[in-house]
Amino acid sequence: MDSNKKYWKGLEELQQTPAFVESSKGEFAESIPVEDVLNEAGLSTKTPRRDFLKALGFGLGAVTLAACNRTPVHKAVPYVIKPEEVTPGIPNYYASSFNGQSVLVRTREGRPISLTANPNSVGLTQGTDATTAASVLDLYDMSKLQNPQLGGKDVEWSKLDSTVIAALDKAAAAGKQITLVSSTVNGPSTLAAIAKLAAKYPTTKHVQVDAVSYSGIIEANKASFGKAVVPTYHFDKAQVVVSVAADFLGTWLAGEEHTQDYITNRDHKSLKNGKMSRHIQFESGLSMTGSNADVRIAIKPSEEGAVLISLYNAITGQSLAGGVSNKKAQTAITLAAKELVNAKGSTLVVAGSNDVNIQLLTNAINSALGAYGAIIDFDNFSKQHQGSDAAFQQFVADAAAGKVGVAFFLNSNPVYDYFKADDVKAALAKVDFTLSFADRADETASELKAIAPNCTFFEAWGDASATEGYYTVIQPTINPVFNTRQAEQSLLVWAGDNTNIYDFVKQNWEANILAGTGKSWNDLLQTGFVFKGSKSGSAASASVDVNAVASAIVSASKAIAGEVELKLYESTVIRDGRYANNAYLQELPDPVSKVTWDNYAAINPKFAEELGLGENGKVVVEANGYSLELPVVLQPGQALGTVSIAVGYGRTKVGKAGNNVGKNAFPFARLVNGTVQFASKATVAKASGTYELAQTQTHHTIEGRNIIRETTFAKYKKDPTSESGRFSDTHKTYDLWNKFESPGHKWVMAIDLNACTGCGSCIVACNVENNIPVVGRDEVRRRREMHWLRIDRYYTIESGDEKLTKEKEIARAEGLDYEDVTVVHQPMLCQHCDHAPCETVCPVLATVHSSEGLNHMAYNRCFGTRYCANNCPYKVRRFNWFNYWNDSRFDNYLNNEFTQLVLNPDVTTRSRGVMEKCSMCIQRIQGGKLKAKMENRKLKDGDVKMACQEACSANAIIFGDVNDPESEVSKALRNERVYYVLEEINVQPNIGYMTKVRNTFEA
């Protein structure tokens, strides 16, 4: 169908660069590693013909040889006495908690292998973020310490305990401080254990500090409302959302919970009812949230405060000085203010800055709009970010002055993530005894005198309270793998309390949480949570001196305003660096740039052109007396004159997967009025040499064919089939295929492009469920990533009414500043076509069609011709060049028997040389059928959920049996927005997509 928009995955595709054109010419994008394969067979490219044939026999050359390796033998070890609760082949589920979210841990024969959201909980009940899905890999991390350490040497726990107690007694006798430095702690039992230590040693202080700080919000709320907390934001109740540099769908506060709420006003159910929220985003770098906005305006970091001043003026009619001068921003602010006032009481304004004054002005705006109570909730406030920048700075000063006798560090690594690491090191050198509870000798722990390695949450008893009144329990699903001990148990021992941690947690719950709920301890272990909070927030009015605040904002903005401005941000994948050694996360493409295994300097292509930067260029960024040389990503949507860099990279003592991946950007941060700020004035200069990032954005390109359909909400309301609808070509068609009958079940999928945010949690969940290997940076560079599911990110530039040719589109783009692109995210996986083109070209019937509409792969038949990959129009098939799970060249700490305990026994690990692709989690389908049969009933809708579907907090993926007219997927596929990608070539795919709808101002 005709469209005024042209979609492109990257600048190389839009501009048809020579490298891109060259890589798109061949039958296969990947080069065949003939030399590597022949060397393993004792051959070379110079081997005589007779010896070559003798070695290869009647194989099909290098690819055939790659498929013929011997299948590894795994010896089974039977139970001597089978545990009563374990039935081999049947998973067990346990309620637990991760980062405050109630989750279900799936175990097989005593091994945790995956996590899903607890559907019966409150808060986030659908889906998880990528870090939660990948966390199971951390349990089997060989980088962790296996014993406690003193002076860098392994010791017994009794030796460590006596040493610590002696140090505590010495500090107490001298009247020195005993300080526990931690990231935010919200677990009631953890806090109770800390209180036990403080009761015995009264000089104990607990200092909480977060690597990515929210002190600005806390201090602003303390000043405005007398409540030093982060409130809960109910995006599901907001019809208009304005965000100023807050990536609320990604890393800002409770991103996945915000996503679940945000999408309820934008998905197919909401649209069907004629409702859709409007989202306006102001930001410098293109964030995941910005890529989903209806209207996005690129601004410099120094303009964030000015945007809020202008917005406040437009809403209240006042005339505070210091408003924005950016014309595009001013136009958007005028329109946004009108929307906010018209929808007063159901609107929300959020700001991502850690500047107290910016947050104070945001409070004043929300107060004027009546947002407190229904939309912004102080009664059920968040406890996930309680760190205080000022408290940590005081600790460093006290330690440097010799006032601290003992310092403990719990889930805190300031030698890496504090912007003045040298100050921290110098201060710690003056503390008599220092200890970390880290599970490895990380950047901070390696500088201390002792390490008491903590357990993972899979091995521990504990709890969390992410929101006031909401409590989740943590229960172990496996015994401690190494000789580690819970930090809470250690604190109890050092406090002279010999209570077992299980009894301690149970007693604390029964005395302080379960009382009055009618629930017993056993009830709690089954449900996993207790909610005692208020159901609706109460109204509040902010007390803000807006004139003083505006003046302070103008002054702070001048300090960072410059020709080039730097903005740091938290990666949605690695976050603040705590997940740097998780190979699943390192290989997950960034939602926007699609870069893996690195951080980089994101620069507007027009700005890069001014700097003389080309493809694979590098720059030196300098700010606040610190400089880094980084590879460049030419990022459409980036504000001109700005550079964005992700923190969380550049770890040096985290483990094999994460060591020396990227560069540490935390030292670019600066301290302003007591809070750590992530924006500053900078200089950027071209560096010599080149660096090729492992970027997936233009892998598997589909040559500009019409696969994205998009419309506006105004057009949708007038005509629901506008810019969507099914392909309608009335010419006569001829079919070489017999019609496939599916009399029982027919498994299909619907994907709502309006709901998909591009977060990537589905990719990680698919990897974990289906034993998809990590291949590493070099293989990704060679276009050999193994992900069965990818999320394609498409840029577009508004083209007006004219129908542009590709050549005109390129010429037009060259005259733009690239700030005004819009983005569509599209999950792409095997479409399980009824007329699958892959099936007709396979010489050994390795890929075949099932009676239930699925395209199956028989791995033991496949010998790797790759004909099917060449014939697939969706480019969703993967060829495993090497045995990535068992080849030292790809050892991202996965290639050992211990780490391979993470593997799902329901899914075979494929030997190299075969094609892989989405199976629609056939093992789950069969498991659902078996359970229904055992219960003597028919399979019902919802009995089978795909791994990707379970991980999606936006409910963008709907799976089920289309032969059941009442199933959710049947209803979804009857939606007027549904279309099928490349349906015009008559491959009859079984995944329907729903047209993207934007609620733009033009509506």
Side-chain angles (χ1 to χ4, degrees):
M1 62 189 294
D2 291 332
S3 175
N4 291 344
K5 289 185 175 181
K6 305 295 180 185
Y7 295 89
W8 32 282
K9 288 188 177 182
L11 292 173
E12 55 267 58
E13 182 178 3
L14 174 66
Q15 298 171 351
Q16 293 290 290
T17 62
F20 175 78
V21 172
E22 184 63 31
S23 69
S24 303
K25 280 182 181 178
E27 178 180 350
F28 300 108
E30 310 94 335
S31 57
I32 300 175
V34 176
E35 194 71 49
D36 289 345
V37 176
L38 290 179
N39 285 340
E40 290 182 27
L43 305 171
S44 74
T45 50
K46 297 179 180 180
T47 300
R49 176 175 175 273
R50 181 171 297 186
D51 292 344
F52 182 84
L53 292 176
K54 196 184 295 180
L56 264 65
F58 294 99
L60 293 178
V63 173
T64 307
L65 179 63
C68 292
N69 64 320
R70 187 170 57 188
T71 302
V73 176
H74 297 283
K75 296 180 180 179
V77 181
Y79 288 111
V80 178
I81 301 175
K82 184 183 82 68
E84 181 180 352
E85 69 276 8
V86 174
T87 301
I90 304 298
N92 285 4
Y93 293 86
Y94 298 90
S96 191
S97 176
F98 181 72
N99 286 342
Q101 180 188 4
S102 183
V103 295
L104 300 180
V105 181
R106 180 169 56 143
T107 66
R108 280 294 302 272
E109 291 75 55
R111 294 183 294 115
I113 60 172
S114 67
L115 278 77
T116 55
N118 183 348
N120 299 314
S121 183
V122 297
L124 184 55
T125 60
Q126 164 70 42
T128 58
D129 65 11
T131 61
T132 305
S135 64
V136 69
L137 190 59
D138 294 331
L139 171 63
Y140 306 106
D141 183 354
M142 290 291 289
S143 305
K144 295 185 294 186
L145 293 175
Q146 299 187 20
N147 293 287
Q149 290 192 341
L150 267 175
K153 296 180 180 179
D154 289 355
V155 295
E156 297 294 328
W157 277 105
S158 57
K159 172 65 173 174
L160 179 67
D161 290 341
S162 61
T163 303
V164 173
I165 291 171
L168 289 168
D169 290 341
K170 179 182 176 183
K176 287 190 174 184
Q177 291 177 23
I178 296 167
T179 307
L180 172 62
V181 179
S182 74
S183 59
T184 293
V185 174
N186 55 42
S189 296
T190 305
L191 293 171
I194 295 171
K196 284 276 187 181
L197 185 73
K200 181 170 183 182
Y201 300 102
T203 59
T204 298
K205 286 187 177 182
H206 180 199
V207 173
Q208 299 183 79
V209 59
D210 296 319
V212 178
S213 173
Y214 292 90
S215 285
I217 295 178
I218 295 170
E219 294 300 323
N221 288 336
K222 181 180 179 181
S224 297
F225 306 100
K227 300 176 180 179
V229 296
V230 175
T232 296
Y233 297 87
H234 296 290
F235 284 86
D236 55 325
K237 299 176 182 177
Q239 289 306 309
V240 181
V241 176
V242 174
S243 169
V244 181
D247 185 14
F248 62 82
L249 298 180
T251 58
W252 190 76
L253 299 177
E256 290 302 302
E257 191 168 337
H258 294 165
T259 298
Q260 179 182 262
D261 291 347
Y262 173 83
I263 293 301
T264 59
N265 290 323
R266 304 173 70 83
D267 65 4
H268 64 284
K269 294 177 182 177
S270 178
L271 288 170
K272 196 75 176 175
N273 293 327
K275 295 180 179 178
M276 183 178 179
S277 64
R278 177 167 285 155
H279 170 200
I280 303 102
Q281 185 86 6
F282 298 88
E283 61 184 8
S284 53
L286 181 57
S287 68
M288 190 173 80
T289 302
S291 71
N292 286 279
D294 297 309
V295 177
R296 179 184 177 274
I297 306 298
I299 61 171
K300 285 188 168 186
S302 61
E303 294 177 311
E304 290 176 17
V307 165
L308 288 164
I309 290 173
S310 291
L311 187 61
Y312 179 82
N313 289 340
I315 289 169
T316 63
Q318 294 195 35
S319 54
L320 298 177
V324 72
S325 57
N326 181 327
K327 290 184 179 180
K328 283 191 290 187
Q330 186 60 65
T331 301
I333 289 166
T334 301
L335 294 169
K338 182 179 178 182
E339 297 283 332
L340 290 167
V341 172
N342 289 342
K344 189 174 180 180
S346 60
T347 61
L348 176 61
V349 177
V350 292
S353 173
N354 198 37
D355 185 291
V356 176
N357 291 301
I358 283 181
Q359 294 299 335
L360 283 168
L361 187 57
T362 305
N363 289 352
I365 292 171
N366 282 315
S367 185
L369 293 170
Y372 290 100
I375 311 294
I376 304 176
D377 183 358
F378 275 116
D379 292 335
N380 305 294
F381 60 87
S382 171
K383 296 181 180 178
Q384 291 178 283
H385 303 278
Q386 302 177 46
S388 169
D389 294 338
F392 183 72
Q393 291 150 32
Q394 186 61 54
F395 160 73
V396 173
D398 289 345
K403 297 178 181 178
V404 179
V406 174
F408 297 146
F409 291 85
L410 174 62
N411 297 326
S412 182
N413 188 11
V415 172
Y416 162 71
D417 57 36
Y418 190 63
F419 70 101
K420 287 189 176 180
D422 289 340
D423 289 359
V424 175
K425 285 183 185 179
L428 291 178
K430 296 184 179 180
V431 178
D432 297 332
F433 184 81
T434 52
L435 176 144
S436 174
F437 293 102
D439 62 358
R440 66 199 69 221
D442 62 24
E443 292 84 351
T444 299
S446 60
E447 297 282 333
L448 308 184
K449 294 181 173 63
I451 306 176
N454 201 359
C455 299
T456 66
F457 76 100
F458 292 102
E459 308 159 286
W461 285 102
D463 44 36
S465 179
T467 306
E468 174 66 11
Y470 174 52
Y471 304 91
T472 55
V473 70
I474 299 171
Q475 58 178 318
T477 52
I478 191 172
N479 283 325
V481 174
F482 300 128
N483 184 24
T484 57
R485 187 172 72 186
Q486 279 187 245
E488 294 86 348
Q489 184 74 74
S490 295
L491 292 172
L492 290 176
V493 169
W494 303 337
D497 188 334
N498 294 319
T499 307
N500 177 275
I501 189 62
Y502 167 78
D503 294 327
F504 183 78
V505 173
K506 180 183 177 183
Q507 291 166 12
N508 189 52
W509 273 78
E510 289 177 337
N512 301 312
I513 303 172
L514 292 175
T517 65
K519 281 190 175 184
S520 67
W521 173 251
N522 286 338
D523 292 335
L524 169 69
L525 297 185
Q526 289 180 350
T527 60
F529 73 97
V530 165
F531 182 63
K532 301 168 66 176
S534 167
K535 297 225 172 151
S536 60
S538 52
S541 179
S543 174
V544 180
D545 182 347
V546 289
N547 290 296
V549 164
S551 177
I553 288 174
V554 171
S555 177
S557 297
K558 287 179 180 178
I560 63 173
E563 188 175 340
V564 180
E565 295 178 23
L566 168 66
K567 181 75 172 184
L568 303 180
Y569 66 96
E570 189 177 11
S571 160
T572 59
V573 177
I574 304 301
R575 298 300 175 103
D576 59 11
R578 74 187 74 177
Y579 304 115
N581 204 49
N582 192 301
Y584 279 142
L585 294 175
Q586 287 283 8
E587 196 146 300
L588 176 65
D590 179 88
V592 176
S593 70
K594 299 301 176 185
V595 171
T596 67
W597 293 101
D598 260 310
N599 63 341
Y600 46 83
I603 295 177
N604 184 290
K606 211 69 178 174
F607 182 41
E609 186 180 319
E610 295 172 8
L611 294 172
L613 289 166
E615 192 174 0
N616 298 332
K618 295 193 295 182
V619 292
V620 175
V621 180
E622 186 170 355
N624 303 325
Y626 180 69
S627 66
L628 276 184
E629 183 176 286
L630 289 163
V632 168
V633 165
L634 307 184
Q635 182 61 64
Q638 185 81 24
L640 285 166
T642 67
V643 56
S644 293
I645 304 173
V647 298
Y649 290 83
R651 298 288 305 272
T652 56
K653 295 180 180 180
V654 66
K656 186 178 290 187
N659 280 344
N660 302 311
V661 174
K663 303 288 182 64
N664 185 6
F666 275 112
F668 279 130
R670 60 199 186 97
L671 192 67
V672 181
N673 297 327
T675 60
V676 176
Q677 305 285 315
F678 272 12
S680 62
K681 187 184 298 184
T683 61
V684 177
K686 181 181 178 180
S688 60
T690 60
Y691 183 91
E692 183 184 2
L693 290 161
Q695 194 171 11
T696 65
Q697 66 176 357
T698 51
H699 295 189
H700 320 295
T701 184
I702 310 184
E703 299 294 331
R705 286 176 283 186
N706 182 28
I707 64 173
I708 294 292
R709 300 191 187 178
E710 189 176 6
T711 189
T712 65
F713 187 47
K715 289 181 181 177
Y716 172 81
K717 286 190 292 185
K718 291 177 183 176
D719 177 10
T721 62
S722 170
E723 296 296 331
S724 59
R726 292 173 175 78
F727 178 77
S728 55
D729 192 337
T730 56
H731 77 271
K732 188 173 181 180
T733 59
Y734 298 90
D735 208 334
L736 299 176
W737 294 78
N738 295 322
K739 182 174 175 58
F740 282 106
E741 299 292 341
S742 300
H745 304 289
K746 183 169 184 181
W747 304 107
V748 297
M749 186 178 282
I751 298 177
D752 189 351
L753 296 184
N754 234 46
C756 176
T757 63
C759 71
S761 62
C762 55
I763 297 175
V764 177
C766 177
N767 292 351
V768 173
E769 173 69 23
N770 294 295
N771 301 334
I772 296 172
V774 170
V775 302
R777 178 195 281 118
D778 192 54
E779 288 292 280
V780 174
R781 284 171 175 162
R782 299 171 189 266
R783 308 163 74 99
R784 294 177 186 164
E785 64 272 14
M786 292 300 297
H787 297 157
W788 289 2
L789 164 64
R790 69 177 190 265
I791 299 180
D792 291 334
R793 181 266 298 113
Y794 291 93
Y795 299 120
T796 186
I797 300 173
E798 294 291 344
S799 302
D801 294 328
E802 60 175 324
K803 305 293 188 292
L804 296 182
T805 63
K806 190 70 177 178
E807 290 73 21
K808 286 183 178 179
E809 178 73 8
I810 295 170
R812 181 179 182 278
E814 288 175 351
L816 295 178
D817 57 18
Y818 287 102
E819 286 189 334
D820 300 326
V821 297
T822 56
V823 176
V824 179
H825 300 281
Q826 184 184 54
M828 183 55 64
L829 60 159
C830 176
Q831 304 288 293
H832 294 270
C833 310
D834 279 345
H835 292 180
C838 55
E839 295 173 12
T840 56
V841 295
C842 181
V844 292
L845 291 179
T847 179
V848 294
H849 217 72
S850 80
S851 61
E852 296 185 351
L854 298 179
N855 177 252
H856 285 332
M857 275 297 305
Y859 296 122
N860 61 344
R861 286 184 185 175
C862 177
F863 53 68
T865 63
R866 298 198 296 164
Y867 295 159
C868 57
N870 185 45
N871 221 38
C872 173
Y874 305 100
K875 303 305 172 193
V876 289
R877 289 175 165 261
R878 304 287 175 264
F879 182 70
N880 57 350
W881 289 103
F882 299 96
N883 194 3
Y884 295 109
W885 284 105
N886 257 328
D887 191 320
S888 60
R889 288 171 294 183
F890 312 104
D891 188 2
N892 299 300
Y893 87 68
L894 299 171
N895 297 326
N896 59 79
E897 290 184 357
F898 175 64
T899 305
Q900 289 173 14
L901 291 173
V902 76
L903 296 176
N904 180 2
D906 291 332
V907 181
T908 183
T909 51
R910 284 73 62 186
S911 297
R912 67 175 185 170
V914 300
M915 299 302 303
E916 303 183 16
K917 56 104 196 166
C918 166
S919 67
M920 286 285 189
C921 293
I922 185 66
Q923 69 279 3
R924 292 190 172 209
I925 294 174
Q926 295 304 107
K929 289 180 184 176
L930 178 61
K931 182 178 180 182
K933 184 176 182 180
M934 291 170 63
E935 295 175 359
N936 196 27
R937 61 174 175 80
K938 289 184 177 181
L939 194 68
K940 62 180 186 292
D941 190 39
D943 279 351
V944 180
K945 287 185 178 290
M946 302 296 92
C948 56
Q949 177 187 14
E950 278 192 326
C952 182
S953 56
N955 199 28
I957 300 173
I958 306 166
F959 172 84
D961 182 4
V962 77
N963 285 348
D964 176 4
E966 296 304 311
S967 67
E968 187 180 0
V969 74
S970 291
K971 294 175 182 177
L973 290 175
R974 291 196 292 268
N975 189 290
E976 61 275 356
R977 290 193 295 129
V978 169
Y979 72 97
Y980 292 85
V981 172
L982 301 182
E983 57 190 311
E984 61 269 25
I985 62 177
N986 199 32
V987 294
Q988 297 187 11
N990 278 314
I991 298 181
Y993 291 83
M994 298 185 202
T995 299
K996 175 76 173 179
V997 181
R998 289 190 191 278
N999 194 0
T1000 59
F1001 280 136
E1002 287 75 20

